[in-house]
Amino acid sequence: MYLCLEVSHWIALPLSLLAAGFLIRIFIIQHDCGHGSFFRSQRANDIIGRVCSVITLTPYAFWRRQHARHHGSWNNLDRRAASGLDIYSSCMTVAEFLQLARWRQWLYRAAYNPLVSHLVLPPFVFLILYRVPFDAAKGWRRERRAVYLTNFAIAGLICGLGLLVGFGPVAAVQLPTMVIGSVIGVWLFSIQHRFEQTQWMPGKGWDFATAALHGSSHLDLPRVLQWFTGNIGFHHVHHLNPRIPNYRLEECHKAARLLQSAPRLTLRTAVTTLRYALWDDALGRMVKFPSAGRA
């Protein structure tokens, strides 16, 4: 991409999509390292996870602990506050939404509008929000330190590249790649919990295996996209056992018939899930905002 910039920005820009694909795959490797599943050695997981974090702009130790909360409470209606970033780990029920004041309903609608939640917020989260320990408990000293150490490493990398090739070219290459990668990455994780047939359960009725098989999806992607996304489409298998590395998820899915009963999404149907924003207890499924209004 840097070489292409010498000819034209318009030649380099389309390559951002390909670079973003590799960025997503690197993030999945970091994700697996955070679960201690990519290597047998925890030390190797931590080293590679930290290296990946400089590329993905996502502090390794901080995101690992934040993400662990998601794995302890996903699709649990009574533990939504413990799920970390609401962008893919939480939702409001129809009854809760209808009890809000009109201005708060408008804010919630605006926040979960696909243009906001899937285009505006993802770059903001990865470029800005992850530069500070915004969601860290007071006792997360190691995780807070990891945020600032990651920032230091990123600054060193950007300065080194800037001095080598110029800061303008660095921005022209890195920013489009990061924006596209963050948009696709957040969409990828979000739709696997926020689709029409998913199951949200109250705390007393929440069951680990049921939540894995019916609260997360099997996103059946074309082979090339499956590779770039690190098999994370087999999300139901991942939630059933986060210690399975991404390169074994498909094998596990095919080995057990019960796993094949998870809700299946295709690339086409996954795009249509973006407007499912509320859980309807009466219907037992996610609904769109107009449906909630009629209810």
Side-chain angles (χ1 to χ4, degrees):
M1 291 177 69
Y2 285 114
L3 292 173
C4 289
L5 283 175
E6 297 179 4
V7 180
S8 171
H9 280 70
W10 296 108
I11 298 176
L13 190 60
L15 292 177
S16 297
L17 185 60
L18 180 61
F22 284 109
L23 185 66
I24 292 167
R25 184 166 174 84
I26 292 170
F27 188 91
I28 297 299
I29 293 173
Q30 177 183 337
H31 165 265
D32 275 17
C33 288
H35 282 294
S37 64
F38 197 72
F39 300 102
R40 288 191 176 93
S41 165
Q42 186 57 50
R43 181 178 174 81
N45 281 311
D46 290 341
I47 292 173
I48 298 302
R50 292 189 183 102
V51 172
C52 291
S53 72
V54 180
I55 303 170
T56 64
L57 309 187
T58 309
Y60 172 70
F62 173 69
W63 190 87
R64 176 179 61 184
R65 189 155 186 181
Q66 188 186 58
H67 186 62
R69 295 190 305 184
H70 164 69
H71 272 268
S73 59
W74 83 97
N75 289 44
N76 186 328
L77 289 170
D78 293 335
R79 295 193 63 192
R80 284 171 287 176
S83 297
L85 276 176
D86 285 348
I87 203 162
Y88 68 85
S89 297
S90 186
C91 77
M92 189 176 286
T93 67
V94 171
E96 291 167 343
F97 178 77
L98 294 177
Q99 290 174 359
L100 295 177
R102 282 185 176 272
W103 68 271
R104 293 189 65 186
Q105 287 185 4
W106 183 88
L107 285 178
Y108 190 81
R109 281 177 176 266
Y112 282 92
N113 184 294
L115 293 177
V116 176
S117 61
H118 288 279
L119 289 180
V120 177
L121 287 181
F124 172 77
V125 169
F126 284 88
L127 293 170
I128 307 298
L129 203 55
Y130 277 145
R131 307 284 67 81
V132 294
F134 66 96
D135 195 26
K138 291 183 178 179
W140 290 18
R141 294 181 180 178
R142 181 182 178 186
E143 289 75 13
R144 288 173 179 270
R145 186 167 61 249
V147 173
Y148 299 120
L149 288 175
T150 303
N151 290 344
F152 182 77
I154 293 170
L157 178 62
I158 296 299
C159 287
L161 283 171
L163 293 174
L164 183 65
V165 300
F167 288 96
V170 170
V173 168
Q174 300 298 332
L175 282 177
T177 300
M178 197 64 209
V179 168
I180 295 171
S182 65
V183 167
I184 297 174
V186 168
W187 168 79
L188 191 64
F189 275 90
S190 176
I191 60 164
Q192 298 192 102
H193 293 285
R194 301 174 59 84
F195 55 97
E196 185 177 11
Q197 295 83 15
T198 191
Q199 291 294 307
W200 286 79
M201 294 154 276
K204 292 182 179 179
W206 190 89
D207 173 77
F208 186 87
T210 303
L213 290 176
H214 301 288
S216 51
S217 68
H218 168 209
L219 178 59
D220 193 359
L221 294 172
R223 205 69 185 172
V224 173
L225 296 182
Q226 183 180 320
W227 185 87
F228 275 112
T229 57
N231 294 314
I232 201 64
F234 297 99
H235 212 63
H236 56 303
V237 182
H238 169 64
H239 266 282
L240 196 61
N241 187 350
R243 295 301 300 273
I244 299 172
N246 71 77
Y247 49 85
R248 297 293 186 197
L249 291 174
E250 183 178 12
E251 181 182 350
C252 292
H253 170 78
K254 291 180 177 178
R257 182 170 296 180
L258 180 63
L259 296 179
Q260 297 166 26
S261 66
R264 176 179 172 270
L265 299 176
T266 64
L267 186 59
R268 180 179 178 181
T269 57
V271 172
T272 65
T273 69
L274 295 179
R275 288 197 169 274
Y276 288 98
L278 299 171
W279 171 254
D280 193 313
D281 283 313
L283 298 177
R285 61 179 177 87
M286 295 280 288
V287 296
K288 304 173 186 178
F289 281 116
S291 298
R294 288 195 294 271

